Amino acid sequence: MHKLFFHCLAGSSLLVASAAVQAQTVTGDTVVKPAPAKAPAVDAPPSVSVTAERPTGRIDRQVYDVKSDVGSSNGTAADALNNVPSVAVDPDGSVSLRGSSNVQILIDGKPSAMLQGDARGATLNAMAADDIESVEVINNPGAQFGNEAGGGPILNLVMRRNRKPGGFATVNANAGIAGRYNSSVSGSYNEGPWGYQGGINVRHDGRNSVGEVSRERLERGTGAFAPSSQSSTNNGLNDSLGLHGTVNYNLNTNDTLAASVSYNGRSNDQRSLDRYLNGDTTGSTVGDYVRSTVRNGDSRNTSWGARYDHKGELPGETLKIDLRVSSSTNESDSDYANTYAVAPDHAYNSRARQHSETGNRIVDFSGDYERPLAGGTAKLGYKVADNQSSFDTLYTDINRASLAETVNPMRSNRFELDERTIALYGSYQMRLSERWGALAGLRAEYTDLNVRQITGGVEASNNYVNYIPSLFATYKVSDESNVRFSYAHRLRRPSAGDLNPYVIYRDEFNVSAGNPKLKPTQTDSFEIGYETKIAGLESSLRAYHRRDTDAIVDYRYFISDNVLLTTRENGAGSHSSGLEFSVSGKLTPSLTLNTSGNLARSQQSSSDDLGNRSTRTANALSGRARLNYQFDAANQLQLALQMQGKMLSGQGYRSPNNTLNVSWRHTVTPQLSLVMNVTDVFSSNKMETVINSASLRETSTRRFDGRMIYVGLSYRLGGVGSAKEGEREPRFGPQGGRGSGGPGGPGPGGPGGEAG
């Protein structure tokens, strides 16, 4: 019944085009470019201003338009992020920025449970790219941003909003190879003091994969290495359903109330086959068996929020009160069966079952007050947050003859974490002279942490106060050139999974566990950037340096002959430096270029299970180039090349990786477009990690489905036609009315969002 609903909705989505969607600055397939945006005055409140061809710099962040991506109507949030400079998202949904995986992802400036822990990858691969207005890259977060979910650099997804009178709608329906499909309907309707916005999307998608692991472990008694290997295949396409809605009401010209709700559900089914080969130091095979796994499950993500916005009497004076509640639950049941050709010593029963349930709930209550003060802008805010996480795993061995199930206490555990945060921050932005401007801030955070290892009957708690400063400055070199400086101190607190000490079974060769003794990582980050025009192209060059104290890194060692435990430890420290550049603009009236690169040098210290300390260094060049060619008024082609350089990871590194994507858009009518996406044209996408320590040599490679093709239709009502810049766009519904975007300001997650 569940799958039938998905097929029916995908097939009939074109019939519900009258459901509202937000306005888009698109005329047919040509993005309407706003007037060139000057850098905002440093004494003015921050505002988002994006164009289709270049990022817009604010004093504390870069804002990238993702609507101009030709394939946005049938892509995912992961695809959209992969077009942002120095951001890389692998097929599993793991995100890195400038080679670091310690990245926070916010939605409209707020944390969400669906983007925490293991739920993040699945969410990014299910969220529709067409729902995203822009992506804010905040490498050095200021005082208004908290340290939950990592405390590193931030990627803020600014969701689409429309506050123009009338109704606007879009419908996307796409079909891919091997039975894949996705469809979405979204829109808005604004009339008088009321505004409504919402959408629904369905997706049947996934990435099958094959993997190879070659491993050699040191036998301490003989000093020789014993080999082992693992080959695997994983298959399974999953269904996802997303719903979201927002209502705004203008009480008067100065006050707005808003409420929002969203739901995202996803199946979690998979079939896998793994073959394990164990050898000894003489070259003999001591284990050869195949393990089959059948996994079924579901994940559910919900959120709701309420917001009050008030405009004060002074120009730029605002008060915003925001409450967000989000939760994420992921359940799965896995059945295992072993078939032995050569049974290893201490072989486990041939059948077993594992039930896993993880949960996360975030309550975020924040307020922000901003007003002009002494020639500048002062901002004060607070945040009260509660983050609850739980892990529950039940593993049972199954008797082959009687089929009786016995709990395996070594592989079963239940763990809970409750983290409460109270924060206050203040910042002041002002113009120091005709050319200089500055923004300084300070954040104070009180954290109370409670850990309960229910299976082992162990409880622990900790609390501490941290002070987090930040400083930004801009220098206007000329009308077209600016220099930007920034510094931020950040704190990365260990996550629930990092702290859980119980050993979690992954597969026959691999288990993992957290470390309750982990300390927070202290990070100091510096950056200087220069922005200008070169031959009419928008260009920037940024130099950065990041230093981590007590860096949290992976630490691996063997707990039995062939079982490798991966845990976490505080390393001696790490640091990275680099140069990042971007160039974008029109090379010809028909050809647009967006390109960026990052030349980075990183250094990381770690230890192995023999007590050997080592410091490793990696130099890497990453980059991406996107070319858009407008053949004629009806046809547009986009080529996107992504190159990810070498990245350090614990005791090893991840190898470089390259992919090429192609998108084509054909305008059938001003309202209807045909879109085709081809991702990973040369089937080159892979994930390869290498470890070479005194006790372990390992190369692990995973390859995914490779070339993926999607073809679809995008139909728009409102926001299309021949509207010129500055004119009101076409719409359906009654004429006149102020809409939800009147003087009361935006609804939840206004431009750029707020982060108390």
Side-chain angles (χ1 to χ4, degrees), residues 421-649:
T421 303
I422 300 175
L424 297 173
Y425 81 89
S427 66
Y428 186 69
Q429 183 175 348
M430 69 174 298
R431 184 186 298 277
L432 302 176
S433 67
E434 183 179 347
R435 294 184 178 273
W436 280 98
L439 169 63
L442 178 66
R443 185 182 187 90
E445 282 189 351
Y446 169 79
T447 303
D448 184 51
L449 194 68
N450 292 282
V451 175
R452 294 179 294 278
Q453 176 47 260
I454 298 174
T455 304
V458 178
E459 294 191 20
S461 61
N462 191 14
N463 58 77
Y464 42 85
V465 176
N466 293 102
Y467 297 95
I468 305 161
S470 59
L471 177 64
F472 305 87
T474 60
Y475 177 72
K476 184 178 180 181
V477 179
S478 66
D479 289 341
E480 295 184 343
S481 302
N482 291 289
V483 178
R484 300 182 185 273
F485 308 86
S486 66
Y487 162 76
H489 178 79
R490 300 290 286 170
L491 177 73
R492 179 190 178 187
R493 293 189 290 267
S495 67
D498 293 334
L499 296 171
N500 184 5
Y502 216 89
V503 175
I504 298 174
Y505 170 79
R506 300 296 183 188
D507 59 45
E508 295 290 84
F509 277 8
N510 301 280
V511 296
S512 64
N515 179 2
K517 298 181 180 180
L518 286 176
K519 296 181 290 185
T521 298
Q522 305 282 341
T523 300
D524 292 283
S525 182
F526 307 84
E527 183 170 319
I528 179 172
Y530 180 67
E531 302 164 354
T532 189
K533 277 191 175 183
I534 300 177
L537 301 177
E538 301 290 343
S539 307
S540 69
L541 180 66
R542 299 181 183 88
Y544 63 88
H545 177 75
R546 182 181 301 272
R547 182 175 65 245
D548 293 332
T549 304
D550 292 326
I552 299 175
V553 297
D554 288 341
Y555 174 52
R556 298 177 175 90
Y557 62 92
F558 286 95
I559 58 175
S560 65
D561 285 348
N562 288 296
V563 179
L564 185 68
L565 171 69
T566 299
T567 184
R568 292 294 187 86
E569 70 166 11
N570 289 111
S574 65
H575 63 79
S576 61
S577 303
L579 287 173
E580 183 182 74
F581 71 87
S582 65
V583 179
S584 60
K586 284 186 174 295
L587 300 177
T588 71
S590 300
L591 182 63
T592 302
L593 169 70
N594 287 270
T595 185
S596 63
N598 179 33
L599 178 61
R601 178 178 176 84
S602 55
Q603 181 174 297
Q604 195 173 86
S605 298
S606 62
S607 61
D608 58 28
D609 58 328
L610 300 180
N612 299 316
R613 279 276 178 184
S614 62
T615 298
R616 294 169 298 108
T617 301
N619 299 315
L621 176 62
S622 301
R624 63 200 61 219
R626 188 175 65 176
L627 288 170
N628 286 276
Y629 186 73
Q630 191 82 40
F631 285 94
D632 50 42
N635 294 282
Q636 185 179 4
L637 179 69
Q638 175 179 292
L639 301 178
L641 175 64
Q642 301 169 1
M643 300 174 292
Q644 180 64 32
K646 182 178 180 180
M647 187 169 68
L648 296 180
S649 175

